[in-house]
Amino acid sequence: MASDDVANLADSLAKTQVDEGELSYKGQGLKLDNAQSVEKMVRAIQEFDGLRALRLEGNTIGVEAAQTIAKALEKKSDLQCCHWSDMFTGRLRAEIPPALVSLGDALIMAGARLKVLDLSDNAFGPDGVKGIEKLLKSATCHTLQELRLNNCGMGIGGGKILSAALTVCHKESSALGAPLQLKVFIAGRNRLENDGATALAQAFQLIGSLEEVHIPQNGINYQGVTALATAMQHNPQLRVLNLNDNTFTKRGAIAMAQALKHLRNVQLINFGDCLVRSEGASAISETLREGLPILKELNLSFGEITKDAALEVARSVQHKDQLEKLDLNGNSLGEDGCENLREVMENMNMADKLGSLSDDEGEPEEDEDEEEDDDDDYEDVEEEEEEEGEKSELNQFSTPPSAPRTPDASTFLSFPSPDKLLRLGAKRSFLLQQQVDLLDASKTAEAFLKISSVYKEDDAEVKAAVLESIDAVLSKAFLTPSFQGLSFMSSLLVMLGLLKSEDKLKPVKVVPGHLQCLEHAVKQSYFPREHVTVLNAFMARPSKSLEPCSGARDRLKSTLQKLTPES
């Protein structure tokens, strides 16, 4: 190890926090590859009497370093809290399981009794779950109260392994007279999908002690939501339920509403961006009238809820004395509906409890109502296909039952989400090129906006997938001789609310991703310079449709000005 590295490590160690039984190296950015690199850390662990919490998050730990730290933990029987999120940055995925096995074995050998295990943001996949499987089944986790596995890429397979391990833990701890009392479970952004969620629901139903459940952004549809709803009924102390950005549709929402009738301690419900729809919202309203007496926050934003259902939700919270916020933003109320909603809340002296309605989608058109009915029919077909698929899998030994089902490009374009785009896999660009009709400029513009709508600046994987897909579609379009580039620009400007049109085209709700991806596209060689000039002219005009995205709008304007030659 170089002398300056040793000096930097010494400085970091000098900053180590020691607080009431806690030894913390949080966020120090240490690169710990081998035994030598952790000598001082190991010494600190060994000399710390009554060590109850060890914070290693925000560093990067190799296999040998983990094994050396594990050796020091073998005698730390008082350890209760392992804050080990984001501690494998830059490591190969194959390195993570053996590192976790070493640390887990050490805790078991020490006879520790954990209360908190946080391994979030480690992206270890199903193999990483296998790395903690033995630990989770052991007596060390019989006392576990909080399990945090956010953004670990577990997938369906990992979800099933985790469920089985928790089930063993509960059964074996119950046999000893002290059943597992897990209170907090966090596993957002893990691509659990229906099968993973259903497997975990079985464990949750058995455990029965959960107080907080956070499983946002997992590609779960109504089948998985329904399984989770059943499980939640068996957890009477549940206070927080966060299933944001999954896909309930009315079936899942109705099942969840029925489950909530059995729960009296729920304080926070986050079903935002879950497509609960109007019938689901009405079912939730009925539950609100009958129960949920101490509810503090309800998020039903971006759920395709129409005016009447939203008003029904509002009236149902009238006697919720502890309510702090009702979020119905991003639904389909229309201007009159938004005003009616504000009036209802004001008449109940609860105007200050209503969240912003700035992203309302406007009243739905008749054909959108028909689309909703079509979606329900699609669910029936999808369920039948899944049942047939499961039967055939029994006879296909080369395809494991846990293999995630891959959506097609048309499904993504119909209901875009980051998860669906990622699941299209390495061939996503080709699949989207084939799906988009380049002979129809307006459909190409619509596809661009749908792909860019899932753009996430802070998620490198999603960001790369979106930009790759946009480049594939637009480069093929502009390089096709018959492609109507000016028609594409006209359609795009109409959809962005920058140009009025007498055609059927209608503006979309502009999100930052639209403008961020457009800024990327105009800088590419495939994007015609004459179109940059047109776009620059329109962006220079004031537009209400872009006001919610002022930051992205200003950056796009700046880029366009730089690319536009002076006249």
Side-chain angles (χ1 to χ4, degrees), residues 311-504:
L311 294 175
E312 191 177 352
V313 171
R315 295 186 182 103
S316 69
V317 301
Q318 181 173 7
H319 300 296
K320 304 301 176 193
D321 298 334
Q322 297 187 37
L323 188 73
E324 297 174 0
K325 184 177 181 181
L326 172 62
D327 190 347
L328 287 166
N329 196 19
N331 284 297
S332 303
L333 311 185
E335 291 184 16
D336 291 342
C338 288
E339 187 58 35
N340 292 344
L341 180 59
R342 293 188 185 99
E343 289 175 1
V344 167
M345 294 297 286
E346 188 172 345
N347 291 338
M348 298 188 301
N349 294 319
M350 300 178 78
D352 59 326
K353 313 300 182 187
L354 181 64
S356 169
L357 299 173
S358 61
D359 293 320
D360 187 73
E361 297 276 7
E363 293 185 60
E365 299 295 326
E366 288 185 12
D367 56 346
E368 290 180 14
D369 292 334
E370 292 173 5
E371 283 179 11
E372 182 171 323
D373 294 335
D374 290 342
D375 293 341
D376 296 329
D377 293 338
Y378 171 75
E379 286 176 359
D380 292 331
V381 173
E382 185 182 54
E383 185 174 22
E384 290 173 7
E385 288 177 347
E386 288 187 0
E387 289 174 355
E388 289 300 317
E390 287 167 3
K391 291 175 184 177
S392 65
E393 281 174 351
L394 294 175
N395 297 319
Q396 299 293 327
F397 295 107
S398 60
T399 305
S402 62
R405 299 177 183 88
T406 303
D408 57 27
S410 63
T411 302
F412 165 74
L413 290 172
S414 297
F415 303 100
S417 75
D419 181 70
K420 288 192 184 108
L421 182 63
L422 293 177
R423 285 167 53 208
L424 287 175
K427 293 184 178 180
R428 68 176 67 88
S429 296
F430 172 77
L431 294 172
L432 289 168
Q433 280 181 338
Q434 298 301 308
Q435 185 63 35
V436 177
D437 182 4
L438 298 181
L439 296 178
D440 190 326
S442 64
K443 288 184 178 178
T444 304
E446 183 181 9
F448 167 79
L449 293 175
K450 286 189 173 183
I451 297 169
S452 60
S453 70
V454 305
Y455 179 90
K456 292 188 176 184
E457 182 66 36
D458 59 351
D459 189 320
E461 187 179 11
V462 172
K463 178 179 178 180
V466 169
L467 296 182
E468 169 199 313
S469 301
I470 283 170
D471 288 341
V473 171
L474 293 188
S475 63
K476 184 176 180 181
F478 285 121
L479 294 174
T480 299
S482 59
F483 182 66
Q484 300 295 316
L486 288 177
S487 295
F488 168 84
M489 286 302 300
S490 297
S491 299
L492 184 63
L493 291 169
V494 170
M495 293 178 190
L496 290 175
L498 300 174
L499 180 66
K500 292 184 179 180
S501 172
E502 296 180 359
D503 296 331
K504 292 183 179 180

Side-chain angles (χ1 to χ4, degrees), residues 489 493 498 522 527 529-541 556-565:
M489 286 302 300
L493 291 169
L498 300 174
V522 299
F527 203 94
R529 295 301 95 183
E530 61 269 24
H531 295 348
V532 172
T533 303
V534 171
L535 191 56
N536 183 48
F538 278 92
M539 287 298 297
R541 303 175 182 178
L556 174 58
K557 288 172 67 174
S558 175
T559 297
L560 289 168
Q561 288 168 3
K562 292 175 183 177
L563 293 173
T564 304

